[in-house]
Amino acid sequence: MTSTTKHAPWRRLGAALSAAASLALLGACVASPAQAPAAIDNSALAQPAFRPHTATYGLVYRLPKDVVDVMEAKITTPLQQHLVRMGLDAEAQTFNLPHVTVVHIHSADPTTPQKMLKALPALPPVMNGVVLKNFYTTEAAKDAGHPWWLDLGIVKTGQAYEDMMSFNTRATAAFAPLRDGPLPRVTGPVFAKMGEAGKDLVRSVGVSGVNVIKDGKELRSHNPHNTLVYSMARFTPQVQAGMNQVAADFNKVLPEGMTTSFQNVSIVELAFSGNVLREFYRINLADGSVVDVATGQKVR
């Protein structure tokens, strides 16, 4: 996505916690991408196994404290209990900084976070009125076997959602040239089970589930969400049924979902399955200022 440490997915957070103008801007991003590495190698897509994982970097919205507090109070403990009861001990221990992804890329170049900051496209405004609602399970590709996740969706209406989608298109265009090849988790058995549209995205931008500009039009496949469980266990019918029941139970706990604001976006490092391991830069959507998270120093 899985690298694991002795942390619960929510509990061990620590202190870290229209259209025409948009398309014109998005087209400009595609026309002026970031400088590419020496070579982008797609040869892993012809292999039956997952590509070895070196490092995944991404742009994400860290979940605000108001959402984390609700999850801690109502979801974390029963989720942990469900996972342990189902024998999913690794999933119960997977470390993650709760977030909603913009885009991920794979690169063995350790300077990629700095390059991403330099290539950062035009930011969206502060996103007010983001609604997180509806827990559900999902697979990387249907019948691929693994990986799979338990997610919390985002309501796909409103200005915040539109801003989120437009920013995904800009960020995908800006960061895809920095990859060294496809994300490992969309290679091997996952790539083999993808439809042609998904395969085309993996070949051209290194990942599926993102928005791109094609023939002057924005093609949207991005599905913004928060992930609670990351798993490389086989998604057997028994596991799927058990986790679908967990999702149904949580939807009864939070039937109206949660409304919040995204005021920052962060450049981060992720594990194979997509769980965030550390944060490099936090960018303020209100004024564009940038903080180096490790030092607390403002760098822009």
Side-chain angles (χ1 to χ4, degrees), residues 80-259:
Q80 293 289 96
Q81 293 170 343
H82 278 296
L83 293 173
V84 171
R85 189 159 50 244
M86 292 179 65
L88 298 171
D89 295 331
E91 289 76 1
Q93 299 297 327
T94 298
F95 177 80
N96 179 49
L97 299 177
H99 64 282
V100 171
T101 288
V102 180
V103 65
H104 299 171
I105 60 171
H106 185 274
S107 176
D109 179 359
T111 69
T112 297
Q114 292 74 35
K115 292 179 177 177
M116 291 174 69
L117 182 60
K118 185 176 181 180
L120 192 70
L123 296 171
V126 170
M127 297 176 181
N128 295 314
V130 177
V131 182
L132 292 102
K133 184 179 179 180
N134 186 35
F135 296 88
Y136 62 96
T137 60
T138 187
E139 301 173 78
K142 185 172 173 55
D143 298 326
H146 59 182
W148 59 267
W149 304 272
L150 175 68
D151 291 341
L152 172 59
I154 285 180
V155 173
K156 296 175 172 58
T157 57
Q159 188 58 52
Y161 172 73
E162 292 300 320
D163 290 339
M164 198 176 301
M165 294 297 278
S166 294
F167 186 48
N168 173 267
T169 314
R170 295 195 295 276
T172 299
F175 296 149
L178 297 175
R179 74 195 188 281
D180 59 14
L183 276 182
R185 68 174 175 266
V186 296
T187 62
V190 171
F191 186 78
K193 293 291 185 178
M194 283 183 172
E196 286 308 310
K199 287 182 176 180
D200 185 59
L201 283 174
V202 172
R203 292 186 195 101
S204 60
V205 295
V207 62
S208 60
V210 293
N211 300 337
V212 294
I213 298 292
K214 188 172 183 178
D215 299 327
K217 296 182 180 180
E218 185 184 29
L219 301 181
R220 292 182 168 185
S221 60
H222 184 47
N223 176 37
H225 59 273
N226 166 245
T227 298
L228 291 85
V229 176
Y230 301 80
S231 182
M232 279 295 287
R234 289 286 171 176
F235 201 47
T236 64
Q238 294 78 10
V239 169
Q240 184 173 4
M243 293 308 299
N244 283 344
Q245 184 59 56
V246 170
D249 291 344
F250 289 164
N251 284 326
K252 294 175 183 177
V253 174
L254 294 172
E256 303 303 318
M258 297 169 283
T259 301

Side-chain angles (χ1 to χ4, degrees), residues 12-17 62-63 68 95 97-98 279 282 293:
R12 304 295 191 262
L13 299 175
L17 243 184
R62 289 286 307 278
L63 279 197
V68 172
F95 177 80
L97 299 177
E279 185 178 12
R282 188 175 303 163
V293 174

Side-chain angles (χ1 to χ4, degrees), residues 29-68:
C29 287
V30 173
S32 304
Q35 183 178 356
I40 293 173
D41 183 2
N42 275 339
S43 61
L45 299 179
Q47 304 302 316
F50 287 112
R51 176 192 181 190
H53 182 263
T54 301
T56 294
Y57 300 100
L59 193 67
V60 307
Y61 309 102
R62 289 286 307 278
L63 279 197
K65 186 177 183 299
D66 57 347
V67 174
V68 172

